[in-house]
Amino acid sequence: DAGITQSPRHKVTETGTPVTLRCHQTENHRYMYWYRQDPGHGLRLIHYSYGVKDTDKGEVSDGYSVSRSKTEDFLLTLESATSSQTSVYFCAISDRGLAKNIQYFGAGTRLSVL
Amino acid sequence: DQQVKQNSPSLSVQEGRISILNCDYTNSMFDYFLWYKKYPAEGPTFLISISSIKDKNEDGRFTVFLNKSAKHLSLHIVPSQPGDSAVYFCAARNSGAGSYQLTFGKGTKLSVIP
């Protein structure tokens, strides 16, 4: 898993509650990403970071926010969870954003919003 | 608008035979292509990649072919083994703005039958 830890691995929550997912890396890679995987949609980028405190939106960013205060940690927050955010969330990291884009993925977090 | 398309949701192949997974793209700015493999309850793992300046890249049993004029790439697995049964994602990098982002296809589920 290239030194990537996602926590929690599973979470069940209720609609309207805030949820934070954590991605922790030990590779000192500059770039970090959050994706969601849903049946029929593949992997879709939510947000990404290109350095500490440097983040930007991806394809499906509505309802999500992120923060990166340290190189090793990238947090994904659902301010008020909705059932449409039930999904499997993957964190990824890469080192050479411009020269190569091999991204290495964590094991995922399965989130259920009831 | 889906820029990376994997039109076959699933594929079944006999053990020992060749598996061919296909991927089409629409964006001419894509300059680097990757294949990922994903087992259930795990994160995607990088398999093989190819730059747009090449038309073939080989790594053991895995070969990726790129036809730029047709905007088509394929992954060949020879010989196929039961352990190859997984979901395969095609991904592409845009050489323009935000080149550290990848766009993924929806995936093809490969089943290798013993």
Side-chain angles (χ1 to χ4, degrees), chain B residues 72-94:
Chain B
H72 176 84
L73 63 155
S74 60
L75 174 69
H76 293 212
I77 306 173
V78 182
S80 300
Q81 299 174 353
D84 296 328
S85 296
V87 176
Y88 290 78
F89 290 100
C90 171
R93 182 188 78 174
N94 189 328

Side-chain angles (χ1 to χ4, degrees), chain A residues 29-94:
Chain A
H29 285 189
R30 178 181 175 187
Y31 301 89
M32 299 185 75
Y33 314 81
W34 277 107
Y35 292 88
R36 59 179 289 174
Q37 185 197 8
D38 303 289
H41 289 280
L43 290 158
R44 293 182 293 173
L45 182 66
I46 305 171
H47 281 280
Y48 61 95
S49 171
Y50 46 97
V52 173
K53 299 191 189 304
D54 292 322
T55 65
D56 208 345
K57 296 178 180 180
E59 176 188 358
V60 290
S61 59
D62 288 348
Y64 301 95
S65 63
V66 291
S67 66
R68 191 167 178 203
S69 58
K70 299 184 290 184
T71 298
E72 57 266 35
D73 289 325
F74 193 31
L75 304 180
L76 176 70
T77 297
L78 291 66
E79 301 291 346
S80 177
T82 67
S83 58
S84 65
Q85 293 176 313
T86 292
S87 186
V88 181
Y89 291 86
F90 290 102
C91 173
I93 64 174
S94 71

